[in-house]
Amino acid sequence: MQTPSEITAGHAVLETVIGFMGIAWSEKGLIRLCLPERSREAVERRLLRHAGVDASNPGQQPAWVAELIASIKAYAAGEDIDFTGVPVDLAGVDDFRLAIYDAARKLAFGETTTYGELAKTAGHAGLARETGAALGANPVPLVIPCHRILAAGGKIGGFSAPGGSATKEKMLAMEGVRVGPPPAAQVSFGF
C-alpha cells in the first residue's frame, strides 16, 4: 500500500534542445527529475522505475508544473534559470540529506562549491564523502543543483546521471563554468 507521499499526481516527458527529460510530481511538489536522455522511451523507463510513478496516469499539470517545464526547456537552451521556487516533495528523506539538499539549493546559476564546503555549510563539516553519496541519491537534480558541487581542488567529481561526469561538465559549461586545467598557453605570438 502506498503512503500519501508515494502517490504520484502526475508525470511528464519533455523534449529539450539537449535531449528528453522527465519529471514526476505529487500533490506536495516535484518528486523526480530525469536529466537528458536520447529517447523519450529511455526517460519514461527511468521515471517508471521509481515508486509512485504511475504509467497509466500522467495526471493533470498544476500551474507550477507547466511553469517548471517551460523553465527546464529555457535552462536547456542556455538561459539563466532560478529553480529555488519549485516545490519539492522529499518525503522519506533523512535529515542529513535534507540539510545537504537545502544547502545545495542555495547555489545560484554558475556558482559552484566543493563537497567538503557544502557539508560545512549544511552543518556537517568533515562529511564530504557522505555529502557526495547524498547528492548521488538526489531525486531532483537541476532543481537541487548537484551538478554545481565539485571535488576537492576544483576537479569535476562524480555524477550519477546518464553520461556521468561528462554530463555534469556540459551542464556547468552551459552555466559558464569551466572545470579542468586551463587551456594551453599560446607558444608563439607570431610578431
Side-chain angles (χ1 to χ4, degrees):
M1 181 173 157
Q2 291 181 326
T3 64
S5 64
E6 293 173 327
I7 298 170
T8 301
H11 70 279
V13 175
L14 45 143
E15 188 171 7
T16 74
V17 297
I18 59 174
F20 290 93
M21 296 175 72
I23 60 172
W25 61 91
S26 72
E27 295 79 13
K28 295 178 183 177
L30 188 67
I31 61 169
R32 293 281 177 252
L33 190 149
C34 296
L35 290 174
E37 292 267 13
R38 291 187 181 143
S39 74
R40 179 177 297 280
E41 295 76 24
V43 173
E44 188 82 19
R45 278 192 304 273
R46 280 185 42 227
L47 275 175
L48 295 176
R49 278 196 299 242
H50 296 289
V53 179
D54 182 359
S56 65
N57 179 24
Q60 292 291 89
Q61 288 184 2
W64 70 267
V65 169
E67 291 169 15
L68 175 59
I69 289 171
S71 293
I72 291 170
K73 289 180 178 186
Y75 175 87
E79 291 184 37
D80 177 346
I81 302 295
D82 178 1
F83 292 102
T84 58
V86 175
V88 177
D89 180 356
L90 295 173
V93 172
D94 63 76
D95 290 342
F96 173 77
R97 287 192 298 158
L98 288 174
I100 297 300
Y101 295 165
D102 183 59
R105 261 192 115 174
K106 292 177 176 139
L107 293 170
F109 185 93
E111 181 182 3
T112 62
T113 191
T114 64
Y115 295 105
E117 283 300 312
L118 186 68
K120 186 176 172 183
T121 300
H124 296 285
L127 298 180
R129 275 200 183 152
E130 294 82 351
T131 296
L135 292 169
N138 176 8
V140 291
L142 188 58
V143 172
I144 296 174
C146 51
H147 64 284
R148 295 179 184 152
I149 319 304
L150 304 173
K155 295 181 180 125
I156 193 73
F159 200 53
S160 59
S165 295
T167 297
K168 181 177 185 174
E169 196 165 9
K170 287 176 189 174
M171 291 175 73
L172 288 169
M174 288 171 47
E175 296 184 22
V177 176
R178 189 175 187 294
V179 180
Q186 191 169 355
V187 177
S188 168
F189 292 101
F191 55 79

